[in-house]
Amino acid sequence: MATRILLVEDDPAIVEALSELLAGEGYAVDHATTQERAIELSLGKGAALPGHAASTEAPYQLVLLDVTLAQGNGFAVCAAIKQATPQVPVIFLTASDDEFNTVTGIQMGADDYVAKPFRPRELLARIAAAIRRSQPQRHIISFGPLRIDTDRARVERSGQELALSALEYRLLLLFATNPGKLVTRDRIRDALWDDAGTYIEENTLSVYIKRLRDKIEDDPAHPSLIATVRGMGYQARG
């Protein structure tokens, strides 16, 4: 799902330029031109723009906010957002010589500001940094093409979640945390005994290895992530 940004700006030329810039980076962009509409959208109370469903929980991952609006002002929008959803980052767009509004915005809880006229790459970098800081840190393990989120016990490949059983997940995690190392069959049985509370027979272990390979390998008959070391065990090559 694309990261959603609310752009609050009443200058049509800036709205068009920024919307095109952000969409080109993969962001989904809504925009509002007034204080009232911006607050409705940012709090999920108003009907979203075409193509986007309304949300009751922080519908945006970031708000890009002009200080001066034809109707209302950016400070009131920032205050409403930070009161309801303080985790959502707000970046103010300010005039390059407007020190008062810049300082005021930061004091009200804005996460950053960008001076107009802005440099596109700098703006994108600041947006990415603000979103990254706002998100809780996850423990991600990469294993070949797989991404293992250990906080959620979730495994993804090319953005798609793989359906693994609890035991298959523990088995994968054992290999992923021992890259390049020999993992003996005894070590696997000991690890699964400790974690799953169920003893794993020798033949049953082979079945689990096969099932896991079927789900994670491009060619399970010629595995590249979990290689067999004959007479000893397996080697993780992710």
Side-chain angles (χ1 to χ4, degrees):
M1 182 180 296
T3 298
R4 298 186 61 197
I5 292 178
L6 176 62
L7 171 59
V8 185
E9 170 65 63
D10 57 8
D11 185 323
I14 295 178
V15 170
E16 182 178 2
L18 277 178
S19 296
E20 183 177 349
L21 175 68
L22 295 171
E25 293 296 312
Y27 295 112
V29 184
D30 285 346
H31 80 272
T33 59
T34 67
Q35 172 184 315
E36 181 179 2
R37 181 59 172 165
I39 292 175
E40 286 180 348
L41 287 176
S42 64
L43 303 186
K45 295 180 179 179
L49 297 183
H52 299 299
S55 172
T56 57
E57 297 181 1
Y60 300 99
Q61 283 71 61
L62 180 134
V63 177
L64 200 57
L65 179 61
D66 191 12
V67 173
T68 57
L69 301 171
Q71 297 179 27
N73 65 80
F75 295 139
V77 177
C78 180
I81 292 171
K82 287 300 183 180
Q83 180 178 2
T85 54
Q87 77 278 9
V88 175
V90 173
I91 297 180
F92 269 116
L93 299 175
T94 67
S96 59
D97 58 351
D98 194 349
E99 181 180 359
F100 172 78
N101 279 342
T102 298
V103 172
T104 302
I106 296 297
Q107 290 176 338
M108 292 188 66
D111 297 81
D112 202 352
Y113 71 93
V114 176
K116 299 178 182 178
F118 54 82
R119 292 176 292 184
R121 301 317 303 180
E122 177 185 357
L123 175 61
L124 290 173
R126 288 176 178 267
I127 288 172
I131 293 174
R132 185 171 58 250
R133 289 193 301 267
S134 71
Q135 295 175 340
Q137 294 297 314
R138 291 180 182 168
H139 296 88
I140 304 295
I141 299 175
S142 295
F143 185 53
L146 307 180
R147 294 180 76 254
I148 306 170
D149 184 340
T150 59
D151 289 339
R152 299 187 298 169
R154 178 186 176 98
V155 181
E156 293 183 355
R157 180 177 183 134
S158 301
Q160 299 296 316
E161 183 176 7
L162 299 181
L164 302 182
S165 69
L167 198 145
E168 289 167 348
Y169 172 77
R170 296 185 182 100
L171 185 57
L172 174 62
L173 198 59
L174 176 62
F175 286 117
T177 53
N178 290 278
K181 297 179 181 179
L182 173 67
V183 181
T184 66
R185 296 176 71 88
D186 284 342
R187 182 178 178 188
I188 294 172
R189 283 200 303 272
D190 289 344
L192 296 183
W193 176 290
D194 290 342
D195 290 342
T198 303
Y199 182 72
I200 306 300
E201 297 287 350
E202 186 77 12
N203 292 338
T204 304
L205 177 57
S206 298
V207 172
Y208 281 120
I209 293 290
K210 181 182 184 302
R211 287 179 180 174
L212 181 59
R213 281 173 169 166
D214 287 342
K215 294 181 178 182
I216 68 173
E217 298 278 4
D218 288 327
D219 182 0
H222 300 88
S224 60
L225 297 177
I226 302 174
T228 299
V229 181
R230 294 194 179 281
M232 301 182 71
Y234 303 91
Q235 184 181 37
R237 295 180 176 176

